Amino acid sequence: MSSNEQERLFCYNGEVLVFRLSKGNFVDEGPTKTPVLHVRRMVFDRGTGVFVQKSTGFFSIKEEYSHLKIMGCDCVSDFRTGINLPYIMIQCIKETNIFRYFLLFLHSTNKFEKRLSFRLLYELKDSIRVLNGPLVLWRHVQTLFYISSQTGKVVTVSIKFSSIEWAGEIENVGMVLLGRKTCYLSEEGCTPQPSKSDYATWNTQFCVYSLERGEVINDTYIIPPVYTSVIACVHVCATEIVNNQLRVSLIALTQKNQLISFQNGTPKSVCQLPFGDPCAVQLMDSGGGDLLFVISFRSSDACAVWEKNFQVAAKWEKVSSVLIDDFLGTGTEQVLLLFKDPLNSDCLSSFKITDLDNLNYSSETLDYNEDDLLDNKKNYLVVPPLERRLKVGLVSVQELQQHLLLKEKIISKSYKALMNVFQGKDDSTSSAEEECLVTLCGEEENPVYTFDEKLSDNFQDSEQLVEKIWYRVIEDSLVVGVKTTSSLKVSLNHVTLSLSMDQAPNSSFPLIKCQNRVIKLSRISSPVPGSVPYEIGSAVKKIKLSVESEKEEEKEESIVCVQPSEKEYVQMITAVTSLSPLLAFSNFCCIVLLQIRERENGNHSATRYVQCGRIFLSLEDLSSGKYLLTFPKKKPIEHMEDLFALLAAWQRACFQIISPSYALTSMKVWLLEHMECEVIKEFPEICFCKRPGSFYGTLFNWKQRTPFEGILIVYSS
């Protein structure tokens, strides 16, 4: 395709419509210098296994424009007849900073009708949606606008949306928008505009807005707040009105590469997708009540997920387009996958059509049944072959069940033996059970690591070292903390916290990947160093400007401040993990283990394990925000655990400040007055920033080493 041509395609009533916009050289009927929009109707020939041209049409753009661009094409209903028609929307630039847009309907006679036209003083980007009517919706400078063929006027949407995830019609409601509404958390609730006195943090929530009524008709029973920040795409499946309240059932794609089903605001099913960065989802009815979700990815990949069990049914790579329609004329839908072919400019040269069952056509290998070549194009269901296939399938299922039972037995025994070792219990595994066990590390003749009887001797009672276990949810992270007692005498660099799934024994992910951090705060304020002689060039160890590192953090604390007494500080061992993988379990339990490494006899090290306890979480608790950490207006941090959770989950930056000429004694005053910080009473070294805007909630820790040098540690989300 030349640089003067643009091409778009989509499906309509089993046909593939190929639009091509050129400067007049593409068709013979149009003038040679006039831009021409050409359309080809392509249908699949099951006899030859290729797409053939059914008919063509063209539309000449006679007015003079410097630039033409296809903005989009699909199908919407015409409010005059209620019939779905193909449309194409084109952008034209006639003068400097004047952009004209017009929408064309394509009728069955291949005649184009200019249905909507409007001008703007700015260019529309990719945030354009064309809805039934037709109605064109777009976003510009944080404001939504729309124009319809019925009114012909540009209308401003009163509510402020940070993004629109879905738009469509709902019965008895009309045209609605579903998106993220930016709101401000205050005592009065969630209001669209913040007041000057509100020092609360920004938050977002999903809501449904009616264009006809001009008001929000629902901001609950949609998507729980814990998922709001990770939603990438939404498809509404069903709606109903219960007690004058709109209830929505939908599916959503997340930035964590998941497909999640929500029913009335409650997550029901989760599927981990095989590729990253999903961008679109379509619904496919393959017949017999079997529904599939077909997901497209920005990496030019695609996959299909069964609606009945949320399992991946198929996946494809190097896909340029994904279309769903009845291309074979069987009365059910199939998916048409168009693949990239650099050696052929025809967009339909490399393809695959499948219903993920017995209908499969491909440009590579023609894989279809002879019955599909009949002229009447009907599906003949031959009962005896189907019965034989069903019996063979049942035998395979029974063999698979036996294999899974044996596999579960092996994993169960291995899991039980491993937990007995962790807990220091006697292993009472019989010889018959030992035959089912498998080695966990390496081969039996040369194991990488062996748990022996010495481990139980090193397993210490948690009551001696652990005072309390707590956990919080911050955005998409789960923070688990263990408050240790003064009995823990080892270096904090040698202490780690581990989380283990206490699910069914056949769980594939018993251990959870965590990021550990050790936090130690003093309960008393550090005195300001006196005016002692200070040598600028002294051989004092410098702390570089860096982002947090567990080892650097311990070194910095040992340099900056003098070790307080046991009762004057609190130390926490924390573990931070991603919450999204855990959401696949409706209810899950985690075992909290403390691992302590100690050096003995020179370079030899020994490891002690402390089972601290268990934590229990459920999707219902997470959806209701029970463990979600937020900031009230008057009391920024209410509990000690909230402060340690923020210090563990947030990013940490350390700044070394040196002032050779002036003393830094007013640094604390600058934090309190200019940055409007508030000192945490229980831990005076931490300041909570209450300055409105993006600074709100930032935590500062100022540690002055000398009158002319100090360390400023900043914690931010």
Side-chain angles (χ1 to χ4, degrees):
M1 187 183 303
S2 66
S3 59
N4 294 328
E5 296 178 340
Q6 302 176 47
E7 189 174 79
R8 294 287 185 91
L9 56 84
F10 67 100
C11 54
Y12 175 72
N13 288 345
E15 303 173 344
V16 178
L17 303 183
V18 182
F19 289 101
R20 179 170 293 183
L21 181 62
S22 64
K23 288 189 176 181
N25 299 325
F26 185 74
V27 291
D28 298 333
E29 295 86 350
T32 57
K33 295 183 180 181
T34 301
V36 175
L37 176 65
H38 191 274
V39 60
R40 293 184 297 157
R41 293 182 182 264
M42 308 294 291
V43 295
F44 184 72
D45 187 349
R46 298 165 71 177
T48 59
V50 296
F51 282 91
V52 296
Q53 181 173 294
K54 178 182 178 182
S55 60
T56 62
F58 72 94
F59 178 80
S60 299
I61 305 175
K62 299 180 180 180
E63 299 182 31
E64 294 183 0
Y65 298 102
S66 58
H67 297 285
L68 296 175
K69 178 182 178 182
I70 298 179
M71 301 298 295
C73 53
D74 208 333
C75 297
V76 294
S77 65
D78 187 353
F79 81 94
R80 300 170 299 181
T81 61
I83 300 176
N84 279 352
L85 292 175
Y87 78 86
I88 182 170
M89 187 172 176
I90 299 178
Q91 171 189 276
C92 310
I93 303 177
K94 190 171 184 179
E95 301 176 14
T96 304
N97 295 330
I98 296 180
F99 301 88
R100 183 181 178 186
Y101 299 88
F102 57 87
L103 185 144
L104 304 175
F105 269 158
L106 177 65
H107 294 277
S108 58
T109 57
N110 288 333
K111 298 296 182 181
F112 286 90
E113 175 192 5
K114 186 182 293 186
R115 193 68 193 90
L116 186 62
S117 177
F118 58 96
R119 292 182 179 181
L120 296 175
L121 299 179
Y122 51 86
E123 182 180 5
L124 297 182
K125 302 300 181 181
D126 297 331
S127 58
I128 303 177
R129 294 177 182 267
V130 180
L131 310 177
N132 291 335
L135 182 148
V136 180
L137 176 76
W138 70 91
R139 177 186 176 88
H140 180 69
V141 193
Q142 305 300 321
T143 305
L144 287 175
F145 304 91
Y146 70 90
I147 184 173
S148 67
S149 58
Q150 294 176 276
T151 62
K153 297 180 180 180
V154 177
V155 180
T156 303
V157 178
S158 59
I159 190 173
K160 298 294 183 182
F161 280 102
S162 59
S163 65
I164 298 296
E165 304 300 338
W166 183 83
E169 276 190 286
I170 296 180
E171 187 177 359
N172 300 326
V173 177
M175 196 69 64
V176 300
L177 308 178
L178 188 154
R180 294 182 179 92
K181 179 182 67 173
T182 303
C183 57
Y184 206 71
L185 297 180
S186 61
E187 288 182 345
E188 294 79 36
C190 185
T191 59
Q193 296 294 335
S195 63
K196 294 182 180 180
S197 60
D198 284 331
Y199 289 165
T201 55
W202 285 98
N203 193 14
T204 56
Q205 69 181 66
F206 278 89
C207 68
V208 178
Y209 177 83
S210 172
L211 288 180
E212 297 179 3
R213 302 179 188 178
E215 62 181 7
V216 175
I217 60 177
N218 184 21
D219 56 3
T220 57
Y221 304 108
I222 303 177
I223 294 178
V226 69
Y227 295 90
T228 303
S229 61
V230 297
I231 296 298
C233 178
V234 170
H235 178 81
V236 175
C237 300
T239 59
E240 62 175 346
I241 298 178
V242 179
N243 297 329
N244 296 325
Q245 185 73 42
L246 180 66
R247 303 295 180 91
V248 182
S249 296
L250 55 86
I251 57 172
L253 298 174
T254 72
Q255 298 172 4
K256 302 298 182 180
N257 308 325
Q258 294 173 317
L259 177 68
I260 306 179
S261 170
F262 295 94
Q263 184 174 355
N264 302 330
T266 303
K268 294 298 182 182
S269 304
V270 180
C271 175
Q272 190 67 39
L273 301 176
F275 304 109
D277 203 6
C279 59
V281 57
Q282 302 180 70
L283 187 63
M284 171 180 160
D285 185 1
S286 60
D290 292 334
L291 299 179
L292 295 109
F293 302 114
V294 181
I295 297 100
S296 302
F297 300 82
R298 289 187 174 88
S299 56
S300 298
D301 300 316
C303 73
V305 176
W306 290 109
E307 185 266 346
K308 56 186 176 182
N309 57 11
F310 257 60
Q311 298 296 318
V312 177
K315 57 183 180 179
W316 308 277
E317 298 179 356
K318 298 180 181 180
V319 178
S320 61
S321 297
V322 179
L323 305 177
I324 296 178
D325 209 326
D326 184 11
F327 302 101
L328 304 179
T330 61
T332 59
E333 291 181 331
Q334 307 92 38
V335 57
L336 169 61
L337 303 162
L338 301 179
F339 300 96
K340 298 179 180 180
D341 188 357
L343 302 179
N344 197 328
S345 61
D346 186 2
C347 58
L348 297 175
S349 62
S350 180
F351 66 89
K352 179 180 179 66
I353 301 177
T354 179
D355 65 348
L356 298 180
D357 193 10
N358 59 343
L359 294 179
N360 293 281
Y361 292 84
S362 175
S363 58
E364 299 294 333
T365 57
L366 300 180
D367 183 13
Y368 49 84
N369 299 327
E370 293 182 356
D371 292 338
D372 294 333
L373 302 180
L374 296 177
D375 294 335
N376 54 13
K377 296 183 179 180
K378 293 183 180 179
N379 287 335
Y380 289 91
L381 300 179
V382 184
V383 177
L386 290 179
E387 288 180 346
R388 289 193 297 269
R389 290 177 59 186
L390 182 60
K391 291 179 180 179
V392 173
L394 288 176
V395 173
S396 301
V397 169
Q398 292 175 354
E399 294 178 352
L400 181 61
Q401 288 177 342
Q402 294 177 356
H403 176 73
L404 290 177
L405 288 175
L406 178 60
K407 188 176 181 180
E408 288 180 1
K409 183 178 179 181
I410 294 174
I411 297 178
S412 176
K413 299 302 180 183
S414 303
Y415 180 86
K416 180 180 177 181
L418 178 61
M419 294 310 300
N420 287 339
V421 171
F422 269 121
Q423 298 173 3
K425 298 179 180 179
D426 294 336
D427 189 4
S428 58
T429 307
S430 63
S431 58
E433 292 175 341
E434 288 180 354
E435 296 179 358
C436 296
L437 299 181
V438 294
T439 57
L440 297 178
C441 303
E443 296 296 333
E444 188 175 6
E445 294 80 3
N446 187 22
V448 176
Y449 184 84
T450 304
F451 293 104
D452 54 21
E453 64 277 359
K454 294 183 180 180
L455 184 59
S456 60
D457 298 334
N458 296 335
F459 204 96
Q460 187 170 347
D461 188 3
S462 62
E463 295 181 359
Q464 300 177 15
L465 300 177
V466 177
E467 181 177 331
K468 185 179 181 181
I469 302 177
W470 52 268
Y471 49 96
R472 296 289 189 273
V473 174
I474 301 178
E475 296 179 350
D476 188 40
S477 298
L478 173 65
V479 183
V480 180
V482 171
K483 182 180 180 182
T484 59
T485 64
S486 57
S487 302
L488 187 61
K489 300 295 184 181
V490 298
S491 172
L492 297 182
N493 281 333
H494 299 156
V495 181
T496 57
L497 199 62
S498 302
L499 301 179
S500 174
M501 288 296 297
D502 192 15
Q503 288 293 114
N506 60 345
S507 174
S508 301
F509 305 95
L511 295 178
I512 303 175
K513 184 180 180 180
C514 300
Q515 178 184 1
N516 279 262
R517 181 179 287 183
V518 179
I519 305 172
K520 194 173 183 179
L521 296 181
S522 175
R523 294 184 180 271
I524 61 174
S525 58
S526 302
V528 179
S531 299
V532 295
Y534 177 69
E535 184 178 355
I536 300 298
S538 61
V540 180
K541 185 173 183 179
K542 306 297 181 182
I543 300 177
K544 297 181 180 180
L545 174 62
S546 62
V547 182
E548 81 90 14
S549 171
E550 287 77 8
K551 293 184 178 180
E552 291 179 359
E553 180 177 354
E554 178 64 22
K555 292 178 182 178
E556 291 160 6
E557 292 183 356
S558 63
I559 294 173
V560 172
C561 58
V562 180
Q563 182 72 17
S565 62
E566 295 179 355
K567 296 182 180 180
E568 294 174 350
Y569 66 88
V570 176
Q571 59 186 22
M572 295 279 188
I573 317 296
T574 62
V576 182
T577 185
S578 177
L579 186 62
S580 300
L582 302 179
L583 297 177
F585 304 93
S586 58
N587 298 284
F588 53 91
C589 172
C590 295
I591 301 176
V592 183
L593 292 173
L594 197 64
Q595 183 177 353
I596 305 171
R597 299 185 303 275
E598 295 178 325
R599 290 192 177 276
E600 294 180 355
N601 300 327
N603 295 328
H604 177 70
S605 62
T607 304
R608 287 188 295 158
Y609 299 89
V610 178
Q611 183 176 349
C612 306
R614 287 176 169 83
I615 60 173
F616 299 89
L617 296 97
S618 64
L619 285 179
E620 289 74 12
D621 293 337
L622 295 175
S623 301
S624 62
K626 182 177 180 180
Y627 304 104
L628 187 65
L629 181 57
T630 57
F631 295 135
K633 177 182 176 183
K634 295 183 178 179
K635 296 182 180 180
I637 298 180
E638 186 174 359
H639 302 287
M640 175 180 63
E641 291 79 10
D642 296 344
L643 173 62
F644 281 91
L646 295 175
L647 296 178
W650 280 3
Q651 294 182 357
R652 174 183 178 276
C654 180
F655 301 88
Q656 182 187 28
I657 301 177
I658 299 176
S659 177
S661 303
Y662 299 94
L664 299 174
T665 55
S666 60
M667 188 68 180
K668 200 68 173 284
V669 179
W670 177 80
L671 289 174
L672 298 178
E673 295 182 359
H674 180 75
M675 297 303 296
E676 302 180 23
C677 290
E678 179 181 290
V679 177
I680 305 297
K681 294 182 180 180
E682 193 168 359
F683 303 100
E685 60 181 298
I686 301 295
C687 295
F688 181 90
C689 182
K690 300 179 68 176
R691 185 175 178 177
S694 59
F695 285 101
Y696 186 90
T698 304
L699 298 174
F700 295 96
N701 184 359
W702 169 246
K703 299 180 180 180
Q704 192 161 346
R705 299 173 55 184
T706 71
F708 304 97
E709 181 182 1
I711 303 297
L712 179 63
I713 304 176
V714 182
Y715 298 88
S716 59
S717 60

Coordinates of all heavy atoms in Angstrom, one line a residue, residues 544-589:
K544 N 25.0 8.1 49.3 CA 24.7 8.5 48.0 C 23.2 8.7 47.8 O 22.4 8.1 48.5 CB 25.2 7.5 46.9 CG 26.7 7.4 46.9 CD 27.1 6.4 45.9 CE 28.6 6.2 45.8 NZ 29.1 5.3 44.8
L545 N 22.8 9.6 46.9 CA 21.4 9.8 46.5 C 20.9 8.5 45.8 O 21.4 8.2 44.7 CB 21.2 11.0 45.6 CG 19.9 11.3 45.0 CD1 18.9 11.5 46.2 CD2 19.9 12.5 44.1
S546 N 20.0 7.8 46.4 CA 19.5 6.5 45.8 C 18.1 6.2 46.2 O 17.6 6.8 47.2 CB 20.5 5.4 46.2 OG 20.4 5.2 47.6
V547 N 17.5 5.3 45.5 CA 16.2 4.7 45.9 C 16.5 3.6 46.9 O 17.6 3.1 46.9 CB 15.5 4.2 44.6 CG1 14.1 3.7 45.0 CG2 15.4 5.4 43.6
E548 N 15.4 3.2 47.6 CA 15.6 2.4 48.8 C 16.2 1.0 48.4 O 16.0 0.5 47.4 CB 14.2 2.1 49.4 CG 13.3 1.1 48.8 CD 13.6 -0.2 49.4 OE1 14.2 -0.3 50.4 OE2 13.2 -1.2 48.8
S549 N 17.0 0.6 49.4 CA 17.7 -0.7 49.4 C 17.8 -1.2 50.8 O 18.1 -0.4 51.7 CB 19.0 -0.6 48.7 OG 19.7 -1.8 48.9
E550 N 17.4 -2.4 51.0 CA 17.4 -2.9 52.4 C 18.7 -2.8 53.1 O 18.8 -2.4 54.2 CB 16.9 -4.3 52.4 CG 15.4 -4.5 52.1 CD 15.1 -4.4 50.6 OE1 16.0 -4.3 49.8 OE2 13.9 -4.4 50.3
K551 N 19.8 -3.1 52.3 CA 21.1 -3.1 53.0 C 21.5 -1.7 53.2 O 22.1 -1.3 54.3 CB 22.1 -3.8 52.1 CG 21.8 -5.3 51.9 CD 22.9 -6.0 51.1 CE 22.7 -7.5 51.0 NZ 23.7 -8.2 50.2
E552 N 21.3 -0.8 52.3 CA 21.6 0.6 52.5 C 20.9 1.2 53.6 O 21.4 2.1 54.4 CB 21.4 1.4 51.2 CG 22.3 1.0 50.1 CD 22.0 1.8 48.8 OE1 21.1 2.6 48.9 OE2 22.7 1.6 47.8
E553 N 19.6 0.8 53.8 CA 18.8 1.4 54.8 C 19.4 1.1 56.2 O 19.4 1.9 57.1 CB 17.3 0.8 54.7 CG 16.4 1.3 55.8 CD 15.0 0.8 55.6 OE1 14.8 0.1 54.6 OE2 14.2 1.0 56.5
E554 N 19.8 -0.1 56.4 CA 20.4 -0.5 57.7 C 21.7 0.3 57.9 O 22.0 0.7 59.0 CB 20.6 -2.0 57.7 CG 21.3 -2.5 59.0 CD 20.3 -2.3 60.2 OE1 19.1 -2.2 60.0 OE2 20.8 -2.2 61.3
K555 N 22.5 0.4 56.9 CA 23.7 1.2 57.0 C 23.5 2.6 57.4 O 24.1 3.2 58.2 CB 24.6 1.1 55.7 CG 25.1 -0.3 55.4 CD 25.9 -0.3 54.1 CE 26.4 -1.7 53.8 NZ 27.1 -1.7 52.5
E556 N 22.5 3.2 56.7 CA 22.1 4.6 56.9 C 21.7 4.8 58.4 O 22.1 5.8 59.0 CB 21.1 5.1 56.0 CG 21.6 5.1 54.5 CD 20.4 5.1 53.6 OE1 19.3 5.2 54.0 OE2 20.7 5.1 52.4
E557 N 20.9 3.9 58.9 CA 20.4 4.1 60.2 C 21.5 3.9 61.2 O 21.5 4.6 62.3 CB 19.3 3.1 60.5 CG 18.0 3.4 59.7 CD 16.9 2.4 60.0 OE1 17.1 1.5 60.8 OE2 15.8 2.6 59.5
S558 N 22.4 3.1 61.0 CA 23.5 2.9 61.9 C 24.5 4.1 61.9 O 25.1 4.4 62.9 CB 24.3 1.6 61.5 OG 24.9 1.7 60.2
I559 N 24.5 4.8 60.8 CA 25.4 6.0 60.7 C 24.7 7.2 61.3 O 25.4 8.0 62.0 CB 25.8 6.3 59.2 CG1 26.6 5.1 58.7 CG2 26.5 7.6 59.1 CD1 26.9 5.2 57.2
V560 N 23.5 7.4 61.0 CA 22.8 8.7 61.3 C 22.6 8.8 62.8 O 22.8 9.9 63.4 CB 21.5 8.8 60.5 CG1 20.7 10.0 61.0 CG2 21.8 8.8 59.1
C561 N 22.0 7.8 63.5 CA 21.6 8.0 64.9 C 22.3 7.0 65.8 O 22.7 6.0 65.4 CB 20.1 7.9 64.9 SG 19.5 6.3 64.4
V562 N 22.2 7.4 67.1 CA 22.8 6.6 68.1 C 21.8 5.5 68.5 O 20.6 5.8 68.5 CB 23.2 7.4 69.3 CG1 23.8 6.6 70.4 CG2 24.2 8.5 68.9
Q563 N 22.2 4.3 68.8 CA 21.3 3.2 69.1 C 20.5 3.6 70.4 O 21.1 3.7 71.5 CB 22.1 2.0 69.3 CG 21.2 0.7 69.6 CD 20.4 0.3 68.4 OE1 20.7 0.7 67.3 NE2 19.4 -0.5 68.6
P564 N 19.2 3.7 70.4 CA 18.4 4.0 71.6 C 18.3 2.7 72.4 O 18.6 1.6 72.0 CB 17.1 4.4 71.0 CG 17.0 3.7 69.7 CD 18.3 3.6 69.2
S565 N 17.7 2.9 73.6 CA 17.5 1.8 74.5 C 16.3 0.9 73.9 O 15.6 1.3 73.0 CB 17.1 2.3 75.9 OG 16.0 3.0 75.9
E566 N 16.1 -0.3 74.5 CA 15.2 -1.2 74.0 C 13.7 -0.7 74.0 O 13.0 -0.9 73.1 CB 15.3 -2.5 74.8 CG 16.6 -3.2 74.6 CD 16.6 -4.5 75.4 OE1 15.7 -4.7 76.2 OE2 17.6 -5.2 75.4
K567 N 13.4 0.1 75.0 CA 12.0 0.5 75.1 C 11.7 1.8 74.3 O 10.6 2.3 74.3 CB 11.6 0.8 76.6 CG 11.7 -0.5 77.4 CD 11.3 -0.2 78.9 CE 11.3 -1.4 79.7 NZ 10.9 -1.1 81.1
E568 N 12.8 2.4 73.7 CA 12.6 3.6 73.0 C 12.5 3.5 71.5 O 12.5 4.5 70.8 CB 13.8 4.5 73.4 CG 13.9 4.9 74.8 CD 15.2 5.7 75.1 OE1 16.1 5.7 74.2 OE2 15.3 6.3 76.2
Y569 N 12.4 2.3 71.0 CA 12.2 2.1 69.6 C 11.3 0.9 69.3 O 11.1 0.1 70.2 CB 13.6 1.9 68.9 CG 14.3 0.7 69.2 CD1 14.0 -0.5 68.5 CD2 15.2 0.6 70.2 CE1 14.7 -1.7 68.8 CE2 15.9 -0.6 70.5 CZ 15.6 -1.7 69.8 OH 16.3 -2.9 70.1
V570 N 10.8 0.9 68.1 CA 9.9 -0.1 67.6 C 10.5 -0.6 66.3 O 10.8 0.2 65.4 CB 8.5 0.3 67.4 CG1 7.6 -0.8 66.8 CG2 7.8 0.8 68.7
Q571 N 10.6 -1.9 66.2 CA 11.2 -2.5 64.9 C 10.1 -3.5 64.3 O 9.5 -4.3 65.0 CB 12.5 -3.2 65.2 CG 12.5 -4.3 66.2 CD 13.9 -4.9 66.4 OE1 14.9 -4.2 66.2 NE2 14.0 -6.1 66.9
M572 N 10.0 -3.3 63.0 CA 9.0 -4.1 62.3 C 9.7 -4.8 61.1 O 10.6 -4.2 60.4 CB 7.9 -3.3 61.7 CG 7.0 -2.6 62.7 SD 5.7 -3.7 63.3 CE 4.8 -2.6 64.3
I573 N 9.4 -6.1 60.9 CA 9.8 -6.8 59.7 C 8.6 -6.9 58.8 O 7.6 -7.4 59.2 CB 10.3 -8.2 60.1 CG1 11.2 -8.2 61.3 CG2 11.1 -8.8 58.9 CD1 12.4 -7.4 61.2
T574 N 8.7 -6.4 57.6 CA 7.6 -6.3 56.7 C 7.9 -7.1 55.4 O 9.0 -7.2 55.0 CB 7.3 -4.8 56.3 OG1 8.4 -4.2 55.6 CG2 6.9 -4.1 57.6
A575 N 6.8 -7.5 54.8 CA 6.9 -8.2 53.4 C 5.8 -7.6 52.6 O 4.6 -7.5 53.0 CB 6.7 -9.7 53.6
V576 N 6.1 -7.2 51.4 CA 5.2 -6.6 50.4 C 5.1 -7.4 49.2 O 6.1 -7.8 48.6 CB 5.6 -5.1 50.0 CG1 4.6 -4.5 49.1 CG2 5.8 -4.3 51.3
T577 N 3.8 -7.8 48.8 CA 3.6 -8.6 47.7 C 2.5 -8.1 46.9 O 1.6 -7.3 47.4 CB 3.3 -10.1 48.1 OG1 3.2 -10.9 46.9 CG2 2.0 -10.2 48.9
S578 N 2.4 -8.5 45.6 CA 1.3 -8.0 44.7 C 0.0 -8.7 45.1 O 0.0 -10.0 45.3 CB 1.7 -8.3 43.2 OG 0.6 -8.0 42.4
L579 N -1.0 -8.0 45.1 CA -2.3 -8.5 45.6 C -3.0 -9.2 44.4 O -3.8 -10.2 44.7 CB -3.2 -7.4 46.1 CG -4.5 -7.8 46.8 CD1 -4.3 -8.7 48.0 CD2 -5.3 -6.6 47.1
S580 N -2.7 -8.9 43.2 CA -3.5 -9.4 42.0 C -3.5 -10.9 41.9 O -4.5 -11.5 41.7 CB -3.0 -8.7 40.7 OG -3.2 -7.3 40.8
P581 N -2.3 -11.6 42.0 CA -2.3 -13.0 41.9 C -3.1 -13.7 43.0 O -3.6 -14.8 42.7 CB -0.8 -13.4 42.0 CG -0.1 -12.2 41.6 CD -0.9 -11.0 42.1
L582 N -3.2 -13.1 44.1 CA -4.0 -13.7 45.2 C -5.5 -13.6 45.0 O -6.2 -14.4 45.7 CB -3.6 -13.1 46.6 CG -2.1 -13.1 46.9 CD1 -1.9 -12.4 48.3 CD2 -1.6 -14.6 47.0
L583 N -5.9 -12.7 44.2 CA -7.3 -12.5 43.9 C -7.9 -13.7 43.2 O -9.2 -13.8 43.1 CB -7.6 -11.2 43.2 CG -7.2 -10.0 43.9 CD1 -7.4 -8.7 43.0 CD2 -7.9 -9.8 45.2
A584 N -7.1 -14.6 42.6 CA -7.6 -15.8 41.9 C -8.3 -16.7 42.9 O -9.1 -17.6 42.5 CB -6.5 -16.5 41.2
F585 N -7.9 -16.6 44.2 CA -8.5 -17.4 45.3 C -9.6 -16.6 45.9 O -9.4 -15.5 46.4 CB -7.5 -17.8 46.3 CG -6.3 -18.5 45.7 CD1 -5.1 -17.8 45.4 CD2 -6.3 -19.9 45.5 CE1 -4.0 -18.5 44.8 CE2 -5.2 -20.5 45.0 CZ -4.1 -19.8 44.6
S586 N -10.8 -17.2 46.1 CA -11.9 -16.5 46.7 C -11.6 -16.3 48.2 O -11.9 -15.2 48.7 CB -13.2 -17.3 46.5 OG -13.0 -18.6 47.1
N587 N -11.1 -17.3 48.8 CA -10.6 -17.1 50.2 C -9.3 -17.8 50.4 O -9.1 -18.9 49.9 CB -11.6 -17.8 51.2 CG -13.0 -17.2 51.1 OD1 -13.2 -16.1 51.7 ND2 -13.9 -17.9 50.5
F588 N -8.3 -17.1 50.9 CA -7.0 -17.6 51.0 C -6.4 -17.3 52.4 O -6.7 -16.4 53.0 CB -6.1 -17.1 49.9 CG -6.0 -15.6 49.8 CD1 -5.0 -14.9 50.4 CD2 -6.9 -15.0 49.0 CE1 -4.9 -13.6 50.3 CE2 -6.8 -13.6 48.9 CZ -5.9 -12.9 49.5
C589 N -5.4 -18.2 52.7 CA -4.7 -18.1 54.0 C -3.2 -18.2 53.8 O -2.8 -19.0 52.9 CB -5.2 -19.3 54.9 SG -4.2 -19.4 56.5

